[in-house]
Amino acid sequence: MSAPSGSPHATAGARTPPRPGVAVAPAALASSGPAPARQNGPAQSQMQVPSGHGLHHQNYVAPSGPYSLEPGKLASSLPDGQCNDYYSGLYTLPAQKVATPGAASHTGAQQVYCGGPPAPPLLGTLPGPVPGATVAASHMHTSASQPYPSFVNYYSSPTIYTASSSAASQGFPATCHYGVSAVSNAVHPSVSYSSLPPGDPYTQVFTSQSALATGPGRKGSFPGQNAAPSRPSALAAPLPPQHLQQQSLAGYSALSWSVPGLPPTQDKLIRNHSGPLASASSSPANPGVDSSSTTSSASPVPNSYDVLEGGGYPDMHSSSASSPAPDPVPEPQPVPTPTAPQSAKVAKPFGHSYPALQPGYQNAAAPPTSGVQPGAVPYAAFQQYPQQYPGVNQLSSSLGGLSLQSSPQPESLRPVNLTQEKDVLPPTPIWAPVPNLNLDLKKLNCSPDSFRCTLTNIPQTQALLNKAKLPLGLLLHPFRDLTQLPVITSNIIVRCRSCRTYINPFVSFIDQRRWKCNLCYRVNDVPEEFMYNPLTRSYGEPHKRPEVQNSTVEFIASSDYMLRPPQAAVYLFVLDVSHNAVEAGYLTVLCQSLLENLDKLPGDSRTRIGFMTFDSTIHFYNLQEGLSQPQMLIVSDIDDVFLPTPDGLLVNLYESKELIKVLLNALPSMFTNTRETHSALGPALQAAFKLMSPTGGRVSVFQTQLPSLGAGLLQSREDPNQRSSTKVVQHLGPATDFYKKLALDCSGQQTAMDLFLLSSQYSDLASLACMSKYSAGCIYYYPSFHCTHNPSQAEKLQKDLKRYLTRKIGFEAVMRIRCTKGLSMHTFHGNFFVRSTDLLSLANINPDAGFAVQLSIEESLTDTSLVCFQTALLYTSSKGERRIRVHTLCLPVVSSLAEVYAGVDVQAAICLLANMAVDRSVSSSLSDARDALVNAVVDSLSAYGSAVSNFQHSGLIAPASLKLFPLYVLALLKQKAFRTGTSTRLDDRVYAMCQIKSQPLVHLMKMIHPNLYRIDRLTDEGAIHVSDRVVPQPPLQKLSAERLTREGAFLMDCGSVFYIWIGKSCDNNFIEDVLGYPNFASIPQKMTYLPDLDTLSSERTRSFVAWLRDSRPLSPVLHVVKDESPAKAEFFQHLVEDRTEAAFSYYEFLVHVQRHICK
Amino acid sequence: MQALLLTAALIFFAIWHILAFDELKTDYKNPIDQCNTLNPLVLSEYLIHAFFCTMFLYAAKWLTLGLNMSLLAYHIWRYISRPVMSGPGLYDPTTIMNADILAYCQKEGWCKLAFYLLALFLTTYMA
């Protein structure tokens, strides 16, 4: 076709005659086009949008030029005094400020710290018998606000900048890619870190709500605790010695000890544990600790904990830990523990100290109280515990080296007869198991929300792993929104010389001058600058530096970590405006959202934005500052796409804001009368790639139908009659590699494509999704979207867009995952391009992206007792800083099969299995994947039965750690992605698979196994307090229709959608108070919100729903489902324990599994 | 003589593959580049091998033909079950870094090398 060579320049005269909608092409370029009536080549037309803008600044050139030098990219270049000023604010995030001293407009995320919830300190001082949760919640807030004072101290010491000697500059090659990210934006006060190591004043203990729920002050709140009744029997059973090992999993002990008869004990016990935490972070009894005094805040380790360590590790108490409570247990009455700062300057010899733990681990004779500090008052209560269970005394092993909550037998190994146990699902949310490490390491370890391993006890050899028949892998959520994160602005970033590992809390200091890498065991020198500890303002304490005190840190990287100057934030929107799209009406929603959030788009003064629309032609919009109106340029030569003008298509957001607003206001109505039904998506994407390739950035593609023109056109592959087939599901893979290739090209140019598919018909998501999968984008799918006929989808789009547009974003990112020598990465799951064996190339990174990694054990790990994993995410923040976010996870190595089973993280395992099953369905077939899932249960349970449990039971025996495994696998088999027999549209199925691959664990778990609550009888019992709201905590119900009583109302939390099911004879008071209708009959069929009523039950319900909503990025849509309405089926398909026409009930599934095992 | 040269070429291809995958594994090269260099080689290797088979057929060397037919059949199966690609070749840069696939490709390279060496030996011995 006509390939106008000089096309980009032909539009020099493009600013001339305003002719609405008509393309006027320069004559030379108008040659034979596909449609004779339409001109080929760059044409231009001015939209008839009134606008009173003069033609000033005509000569402004948008690309890079004057803005390429962002002030303050390198924090070290700043004068010290300036830094001091910046750090003086109590809640300000120092590094952030350093980075952009010039940018007055800190928007969005970065202001979390300024706007963060400064808790009322009064609450923390409440003494005595206040309901535990209240105070605990206030602790949460105060602790959130505490760290910064000390931060201030740290950064305000000018010496850190002056002392930055270049002596230790290691000359990092510019090609190192490991990045990091900034502080997160979303303020989720309810975010829970069940084992966040509160190692130092930076990281504070974030006790989560549900963690709080397990806390004291809620006696009897676990009446049906299944752990309780079975304990005595488990003890009486003849267990092999290793069953009697102490269990230090805090979560489990908290669960299993909350027997109604024991609450006082538990109270004291827990208090004991978290006492120092409270005193360190918010106890009024310890003002010295509170108020950021540099010396005491760094090391208020109470003496008693030294003893608790078992006395065997005099050098383990190296200060650091201000609060030794890794478990999510709050503290109602801060116990003023003596804060005797331990200034142990000896290095932490992890290497030899951990092995010492092993003997105590198996030693089964010592009394359980041997390690307890007798002087501490609360421990007296603890001593009552063994008296209540005399058997415990003899059976329990020594406390040495283990954490306080060691129960006599590992709760996670307690055999559970699944066929007899009726309620496997605990009434409280399930927590990630805490690795069985010693206290010091435990509190330093990475939060399970960011970093989880399917086996918290790593088997020593591949043979042992094979025997256990469990998947080994990591689940990552590296760019998660964090409410606090130590950001380190140091001239040097200390890394291992041979494997490039970042220094982390799990390295060992051989002496003051040398440290030993925990991944490759190389001995490295400690750089001179690192010797100075800004926290304590002392010299010679490298092990107290924040890098060594936090397993999640963020470095501001120097220019060594840049291949080019950090890019600006660039956003391009590629919009489908064919008849189908206009009919669906998404443009109105999108433009409205964009107009609302234009100022909140993450970025700095260099932020650029552009728009393209397409039907059978591609339309560009010249928004160059100075134009009176946006100018539309039409390219109809879709076989050879070119950019009609070299600049003006991507414009500076702030300089052209008026034009952008004019365009956004005009866009929804511009194409109302279009009759064009074709969609040239492929060529439009090629054009977008050309437009973005000089800078990189984010392309948001909105598509409403199958692409039907030009490159990348697709045919309908779905046979509607096969939707409910039980046999073969075809076409799960892409039909063409066009989108994949394009994505790889984009990825190479640091451009990510995010796909919003809003279609009413089959659109071959399997092929289209490739554009996002390999360019590290994200995929949103709105089936049967229509802005008036389907208002709930429109609402969802609007909410999703709000989050999408305003959430944090990292550009030109790479993520490297390292692990201890002997382990190796096998397969990665997520949206990215794998550039080498351990390096993922991510054009963009967003806070909602999760990743999974399968691991294999290549060499035996017999000579080590700990393994570590480190992910480093190197990215450019939207403010143009290069940052590295590093997470480090440390796990113990075990040699027996029983210990491997004791440490299974069943949620992580199920998520990894789901990822593997998606791969299997695409590469092999869906039925293969389903078989593999069933086999995973069969194999692991039969391996457990034959190797570990020596009970001769008729039932199906599983360790307690795996008791939910069959249920989750069943839920997975009934998930949209893998179900058969139920009518499932191909696109829905593929979308579910895409989500499984890219969602982080927390969200994925809700997709697989939703949470069901009864909400018509919410009480304040056990409620938690979140920012002045009382949030009731109803118990979880199992997903079965037998739990749905007609008199009740139930809320199902499926992650992206909430259903409220109203029973037929539901109490009219509830309907009136909460829903605002007099009786059941008058509730409308489509109700998607809860009215703001001034009643107690309405308030409770709303605060509970709001609390659930707050905890996730994409605001879920709420559906009120009446018992009789047709929408009921939607709700009932999530009841996974029930039988459906095509699938087993839970009990049937267990029998099925059992039959397989017996074979 | 020509057969010898061609076998040498095949051996060269096999070695090239092994080296290439080793480079990938040791992180020297970008998988996209590597796949772009490898993919054109695949088909030429297969064609040369198919050419061999026809030569053996004409020469009525049934034993060698039988040996080579098995490899030919493998080649055909391998090419049919390749990932969705528009260009020629076998290797997809997005999946090649999967440890299983990489290990498989490496093993395939070694096996082929052994096979071609054997073929070289046979042809020289029998000719």
Side-chain angles (χ1 to χ4, degrees), chain A residues 111-184:
Chain A
Q111 289 191 342
V112 168
Y113 289 87
C114 316
L122 277 174
L123 269 177
T125 64
L126 286 175
V130 180
T134 323
V135 187
S138 74
H139 280 202
M140 202 173 65
H141 294 296
T142 36
S143 68
S145 58
Q146 290 303 325
Y148 295 101
S150 46
F151 221 111
V152 173
N153 273 333
Y154 168 19
Y155 280 99
S156 61
S157 77
T159 22
I160 178 170
Y161 297 107
T162 53
S164 63
S165 73
S166 60
S169 69
Q170 299 202 355
F172 301 113
T175 48
C176 304
H177 355 254
Y178 315 144
V180 189
S181 100
V183 187
S184 68

Side-chain angles (χ1 to χ4, degrees), chain A residues 21-42:
Chain A
V22 183
V24 182
L29 298 171
S31 58
S32 66
R38 191 171 292 116
Q39 289 86 349
N40 229 354

Side-chain angles (χ1 to χ4, degrees), chain A residues 311-328:
Chain A
Y313 325 108
D315 39 11
M316 289 298 280
H317 332 119
S318 55
S319 71
S320 70
S322 58
S323 53
D327 49 336

